[in-house]
């Protein structure tokens, strides 16, 4: 079972044995739940292309055109159920089960959710998790999701001058603080600290890391990796008040698409040149490189298991690589 149009997003859960699964999203307005190559089920509900995915436990969030954000529950290894249908811009909850024409009329919005991330709530509140949406008009929406009532609430928002390409949430040690990051088509990254429960937002830094758009972002402890249209990967250090770029290396002949940490000492990137590259984090020295069969790569997902893990590249098709741990 494959998508009829280009794959836009892929997420792969951390897995042990045979408990992991992969979800893909596409321009064909559907999601596909894959499980261990043995089964795949397609789910519809979006009225425009699905651009991004995020996972928190067994809850999956999908975002796309017309400001549409949906919450799904993975009910088994071969099934997924739509729990909430929401238009981020108009703050409209659309009753699940209504036909597509109703959703179309209720979502007359040309804005797209280009990136979504989520994290669990570390303190008792009305929300089981928080969801961050980056929009095509430069808006960033911070939402709370209540899994019991199956409802979203917009808690705060900030607006940037340019289209938001990637967003990422990071839980702090203090449950009443959340840090989030957003990148733009102008090569800038912005960092914010959000206070809970007042949901007031303070910008803690803004930095230009790339000469043009930033397409990929990953964070581990105090390190931040970014990849952009310039084909560069930049390693930066995050401190409470600033972001300091430490090292830069051109890894791709054309636009870099995605970058992910691979364990504590390595990272992996993929570009529109169809090259999959693994480098050491400290020196950025290349330790492995190959070409992927997927044309026009759009996203990269990693997951780990007892045998090492897997890397999945999607675009005009999808390809999986096994990661063998030494």
């Amino acid at each position: 079972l494959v998508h009829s149009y280009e794959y836009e997003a892929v997420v792969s859960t951390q897995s042990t044995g045979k408990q992991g699964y992969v979800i893909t999203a596409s321009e064909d307005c559907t999601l596909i739940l894959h499980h261990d190559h043995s089964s795949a089920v397609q789910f519809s509900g979006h009225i425009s292309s699905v651009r991004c995915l995020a996972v928190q436990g067994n809850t999956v969030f999908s975002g796309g055109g017309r400001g549409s954000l949906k919450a799904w529950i993975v009910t088994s290894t071969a099934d997924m159920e739509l729990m909430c249908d929401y238009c981020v811009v108009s703050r409209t909850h659309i009753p699940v089960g209504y036909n597509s024409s109703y959703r179309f009329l209720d979502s007359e919005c040309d804005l797209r959710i280009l990136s979504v991330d989520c994290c669990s709530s570390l303190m008792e509140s009305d929300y089981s998790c928080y969801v961050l949406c980056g929009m095509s008009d430069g808006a960033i929406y911070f939402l709370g999701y209540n899994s019991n009532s199956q409802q979203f609430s917009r808690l705060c928002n900030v607006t940037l001058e340019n289209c938001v390409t990637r967003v990422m949430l990071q839980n702090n040690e203090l449950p009443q603080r959340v840090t989030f990051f957003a990148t733009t088509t102008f090569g800038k990254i912005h960092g914010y600290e959000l206070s809970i429960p007042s949901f007031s937002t303070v910008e803690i830094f803004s930095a230009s890391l790339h000469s043009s758009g930033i397409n990929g972002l990953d964070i581990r402890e105090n390190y931040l990796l970014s990849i952009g249209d310039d084909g560069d990967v930049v390693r930066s250090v995050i401190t409470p008040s600033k972001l300091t770029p430490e090292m830069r290396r051109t890894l791709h002949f054309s636009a870099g698409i995605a970058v992910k940490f691979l364990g504590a000492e390595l990272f992996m990137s993929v570009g529109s040149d169809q090259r999959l590259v693994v480098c050491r984090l400290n020196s950025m020295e290349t330790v492995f490189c190959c070409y992927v069969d997927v044309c026009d790569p759009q996203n990269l997902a990693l997951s780990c298991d007892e045998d090492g893990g897997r890397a999945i590249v999607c675009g005009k098709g999808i390809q999986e690589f096994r990661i063998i741990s030494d």
Side-chain angles (χ1 to χ4, degrees), residues 77-99:
T77 55
D79 196 18
M80 194 163 65
E81 181 181 351
L82 178 61
M83 305 303 292
C84 183
D85 198 346
Y86 181 70
C87 180
V88 171
V89 180
S90 65
R91 306 191 193 190
T92 303
H93 282 93
I94 303 164
V96 173
Y98 275 72
N99 60 34

Side-chain angles (χ1 to χ4, degrees), residues 17-56:
K18 297 184 177 181
Q19 299 304 312
Y21 55 85
V22 173
I23 298 174
T24 56
S26 167
E27 288 184 352
D28 66 7
C29 308
T30 69
L31 282 69
I32 296 180
L33 174 65
H34 311 258
H35 177 67
D36 287 343
H37 308 285
S38 60
S39 64
V41 184
Q42 194 163 27
F43 301 89
S44 55
H46 282 269
I47 60 171
S48 186
S49 60
V50 189
R51 299 281 180 167
C52 48
L53 296 167
V55 177
Q56 179 64 46

Side-chain angles (χ1 to χ4, degrees), residues 15-310:
S15 60
T16 301
K18 297 184 177 181
Q19 299 304 312
Y21 55 85
V22 173
I23 298 174
T24 56
S26 167
E27 288 184 352
D28 66 7
C29 308
T30 69
L31 282 69
I32 296 180
L33 174 65
H34 311 258
H35 177 67
D36 287 343
H37 308 285
S38 60
S39 64
V41 184
Q42 194 163 27
F43 301 89
S44 55
H46 282 269
I47 60 171
S48 186
S49 60
V50 189
R51 299 281 180 167
C52 48
L53 296 167
V55 177
Q56 179 64 46
N58 65 341
T59 304
V60 178
F61 300 99
S62 59
R66 298 191 177 274
S68 176
L69 177 67
K70 300 187 188 301
W72 310 74
I73 290 291
V74 178
T75 56
S76 71
T77 55
D79 196 18
M80 194 163 65
E81 181 181 351
L82 178 61
M83 305 303 292
C84 183
D85 198 346
Y86 181 70
C87 180
V88 171
V89 180
S90 65
R91 306 191 193 190
T92 303
H93 282 93
I94 303 164
V96 173
Y98 275 72
N99 60 34
S100 60
S101 61
Y102 180 96
R103 292 214 265 292
F104 182 85
L105 292 172
D106 209 70
S107 303
E108 293 177 352
C109 166
D110 291 330
L111 297 178
R112 292 164 292 160
I113 303 175
L114 296 181
S115 182
V116 64
D117 197 17
C118 56
C119 69
S120 60
S121 172
L122 297 182
M123 60 186 297
E124 287 194 20
S125 70
D126 294 332
Y127 311 108
S128 51
C129 63
Y130 298 117
V131 181
L132 189 67
C133 298
M135 308 295 294
S136 57
D137 66 346
I140 305 167
Y141 295 113
F142 187 85
L143 311 172
Y145 178 66
N146 187 314
S147 58
N148 294 322
S149 64
Q150 299 169 13
Q151 296 276 295
F152 287 101
S153 299
R154 190 197 294 181
L155 304 176
C156 69
N157 63 279
V158 296
T159 302
L160 303 180
E161 294 181 357
N162 308 113
C163 172
V164 178
T165 54
R166 287 289 179 269
V167 293
M168 184 164 285
L169 276 164
Q170 185 180 45
N171 270 328
N172 293 329
E173 293 181 359
L174 297 175
Q176 61 269 38
R177 293 281 189 273
V178 173
T179 304
F180 65 89
F181 307 88
T183 63
T184 71
T185 50
F186 268 43
K188 295 188 74 174
I189 181 168
H190 301 262
Y192 298 89
E193 187 173 83
L194 186 141
S195 300
I196 300 172
S198 65
F199 300 108
S200 58
T201 305
V202 176
E203 185 175 68
I204 52 178
F205 64 76
S206 174
S208 294
L209 295 181
H210 295 266
S211 58
S212 54
I214 299 176
N215 299 317
L217 183 69
D218 202 12
I219 298 168
R220 174 162 294 177
E221 297 177 350
N222 64 328
Y223 282 111
L224 182 146
L225 292 173
S226 59
I227 192 168
D229 285 337
D230 51 14
D232 290 357
V233 172
V234 177
R235 188 191 74 209
S236 304
V237 173
I238 306 170
T239 61
S241 60
K242 66 179 181 178
L243 181 76
T244 306
E246 277 193 333
M247 189 174 292
R248 174 190 303 270
R249 187 180 170 203
T250 301
L251 293 179
H252 297 278
F253 305 131
S254 53
I257 300 301
V259 63
K260 300 286 185 183
F261 282 98
L262 182 58
E265 299 179 354
L266 302 172
F267 68 87
M268 177 181 289
S269 68
V270 67
S272 58
D273 57 2
Q274 294 181 252
R275 280 164 33 102
L276 186 71
V277 183
V278 178
C279 295
R280 300 190 190 281
L281 179 62
N282 57 357
S283 64
M284 301 189 87
E285 170 194 2
T286 300
V287 297
F288 174 80
C289 179
C290 71
Y291 283 91
V292 301
D293 296 332
V294 176
C295 296
D296 192 20
Q298 294 295 311
N299 216 318
L300 168 69
L302 297 179
S303 65
C304 300
D305 56 32
E306 65 271 18
D307 297 322
R310 58 185 170 181

